[in-house]
């Protein structure tokens, strides 16, 4: 059982990627994800760089790891759609980040996830709270400690 101050919440994509290392006590009892997060995770395995371009990981093992995360998420969650209300809210979200001098174009996916959380009246749990700077008046962002991830070598 979670000791989070929130019973429900929307999880940012980074929480799902790091979930096996995130302290469950930092997460809400009832967790939801956005369809935007599912889209991001669906594209993620296709963004693995080949071994010829990097030496940080084995491309095949990394692709398999990313597919494992995607499959687990698909099995566990029924994503909240990015609906008409979220689309309308996205305009306010964009205006808010522009007002604080940030460029929304590079953050489209994050801002769509934020708009979904606002539309559903859910706090957003993330290890990257800075991604949502400028949205304090619209969104409750719950920072989660970014876990130390053990090196998964080749």
């Amino acid at each position: 059982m979670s000791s989070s101050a929130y019973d429900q919440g929307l999880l940012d994509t980074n929480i799902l990627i790091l979930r096996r290392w995130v302290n469950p006590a930092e997460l809400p009892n009832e967790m939801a994800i956005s369809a935007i997060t599912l889209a991001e995770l669906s594209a993620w395995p296709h963004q693995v760089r080949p071994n010829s371009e990097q030496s940080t990981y084995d491309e095949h093992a990394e692709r398999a790891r990313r597919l494992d995360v995607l499959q687990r998420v698909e099995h566990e969650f029924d994503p909240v759609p990015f609906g008409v209300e979220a689309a309308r809210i996205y305009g306010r979200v964009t205006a808010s980040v522009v007002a604080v001098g940030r460029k929304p174009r590079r953050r489209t996916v994050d801002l769509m996830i934020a708009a979904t959380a606002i539309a559903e009246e859910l706090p957003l749990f993330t290890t990257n709270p800075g991604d949502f700077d400028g949205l304090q008046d619209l969104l409750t962002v719950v920072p989660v400690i970014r876990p130390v991830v053990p090196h998964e070598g080749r």
Side-chain angles (χ1 to χ4, degrees):
M1 184 159 138
S2 168
S3 63
S4 169
Y6 299 93
D7 192 45
Q8 299 177 319
L10 193 75
L11 304 182
D12 192 11
T13 308
N14 57 70
I15 296 290
L16 296 164
I17 291 169
L18 298 169
R19 189 156 171 221
R20 66 189 260 204
W21 299 287
V22 168
N23 180 352
E26 293 188 72
L27 301 177
N29 291 324
E30 294 180 42
M31 298 176 280
I33 67 164
S34 168
I36 303 302
T37 293
L38 184 58
E40 201 171 15
L41 289 173
S42 294
W44 193 42
H46 303 290
Q47 297 168 344
V48 172
R49 292 175 35 220
N51 291 336
S52 62
E53 293 180 9
Q54 55 78 36
S55 60
T56 306
Y57 51 76
D58 174 71
E59 68 180 290
H60 305 291
E62 180 63 13
R63 189 172 292 108
R65 185 184 73 78
R66 291 179 184 199
L67 284 168
D68 181 65
V69 171
L70 172 62
Q71 290 168 348
R72 288 175 190 276
V73 168
E74 287 176 324
H75 177 74
E76 185 175 351
F77 294 95
D78 184 18
V80 176
F82 184 82
V84 173
E85 187 63 19
R88 289 183 179 125
I89 289 168
Y90 181 75
R92 291 197 330 250
V93 166
T94 299
S96 293
V97 297
V98 168
V100 296
R102 300 195 73 189
K103 297 189 185 307
R105 190 171 193 132
R106 298 184 73 209
R107 304 176 58 227
T108 301
V109 171
D110 289 335
L111 299 181
M112 290 175 79
I113 291 169
T116 303
I118 296 164
E120 297 297 318
E121 299 180 356
L122 292 171
L124 179 63
F125 287 73
T126 182
T127 63
N128 299 324
D131 288 352
F132 304 96
D133 285 350
L135 301 181
Q136 294 81 352
D137 293 340
L138 300 173
L139 173 67
T140 299
V141 175
V142 181
V144 173
I145 296 170
R146 186 174 191 89
V148 175
V149 178
H151 177 65
E152 295 182 5
R154 288 182 168 226

